[in-house]
Amino acid sequence: QPKNAALLGSGRRSAPDEGGRSERFTPGVGPRAGMLHADKRALEQNLKVNLLRIREKELRFYTDNCVAIGTQASLLSGFAYSGLIQIVIPEGRNDTLITAYLCVTVTAMGLELIAVINAMLCSMLGPGLALRGPDGSMHRAVDAMLEEYRLTFFFFYLGVIAFFFSAMLLCFVLFEW
């Protein structure tokens, strides 16, 4: 067989080299091409590992913030509950103001309790999905936590606004103007 036939990729073995080995010729594949392919795979794996590290930091960020929001929301919810139970409203006050105060205080307490429950579930279930889920679950967990974090922060923010309105209404109820 002529040596050129092996170079043209006919699939036949080339003549043995000085070590007695003969190889099948495949265009673009050789010792260097194999190293390039291995380097490419190693680079892709390093990229995946670095991306997972970044996503892990995001997961930790959202988890820590959910815990912080949950703590603050539980404190404000407790204050709103105290505002319902502990406050003695004097006789002869405007019934509309009293009703508005009670409704806004209950709303503040409810919104903060929703924020507490949502923050607790996010901080518990998000990292669990990232750790024990199938491939790609880290990305799913971080994306879901981002959405739930925004929702939790929205309820917390509305609860804070309602709490401040409750405090203002309490001033109007308790003090005569």
Side-chain angles (χ1 to χ4, degrees):
Q1 149 189 354
K3 201 169 190 178
N4 290 343
L7 293 176
L8 294 174
S10 66
R12 297 183 188 191
R13 295 192 178 270
S14 62
D17 60 4
E18 56 273 349
R21 297 172 296 183
S22 63
E23 296 181 20
R24 183 179 297 261
F25 177 76
T26 307
V29 176
R32 285 189 171 182
M35 281 302 290
L36 286 176
H37 186 65
D39 287 345
K40 178 183 173 186
R41 281 170 88 239
L43 223 84
E44 288 173 349
Q45 290 300 320
N46 286 339
L47 180 66
K48 285 181 184 179
V49 168
N50 288 337
L51 183 61
L52 281 175
R53 283 186 188 142
I54 291 170
R55 296 299 272 192
E56 181 183 6
K57 288 180 182 179
E58 285 180 302
L59 182 74
R60 194 173 308 126
F61 171 77
Y62 291 128
T63 302
D64 292 345
N65 283 347
C66 280
V67 169
I69 287 176
T71 303
Q72 294 169 11
S74 66
L75 183 69
L76 287 175
S77 178
F79 288 157
Y81 179 74
S82 294
L84 290 173
I85 302 301
Q86 302 282 330
I87 301 297
V88 177
I89 299 174
E91 293 291 325
R93 299 294 191 225
N94 187 346
D95 288 336
T96 306
L97 280 177
I98 294 172
T99 304
Y101 165 71
L102 293 174
C103 288
V104 171
T105 305
V106 167
T107 302
M109 185 178 71
L111 288 169
E112 296 298 343
L113 284 175
I114 291 171
V116 167
I117 291 169
N118 205 12
M120 176 197 58
L121 290 174
C122 282
S123 63
M124 284 177 23
L125 298 178
L129 173 63
L131 290 174
R132 292 183 289 279
D135 284 343
S137 60
M138 174 67 88
H139 301 294
R140 266 186 49 212
V142 172
D143 293 340
M145 281 196 68
L146 171 63
E147 291 177 26
E148 291 299 320
Y149 170 74
R150 287 180 177 165
L151 184 66
T152 302
F153 188 76
F154 178 72
F155 281 120
F156 174 73
Y157 189 68
L158 286 179
V160 168
I161 291 171
F163 184 79
F164 285 126
F165 277 121
S166 170
M168 287 190 315
L169 285 170
L170 180 64
C171 290
F172 283 114
V173 168
L174 290 181
F175 304 113
E176 288 190 39
W177 299 90

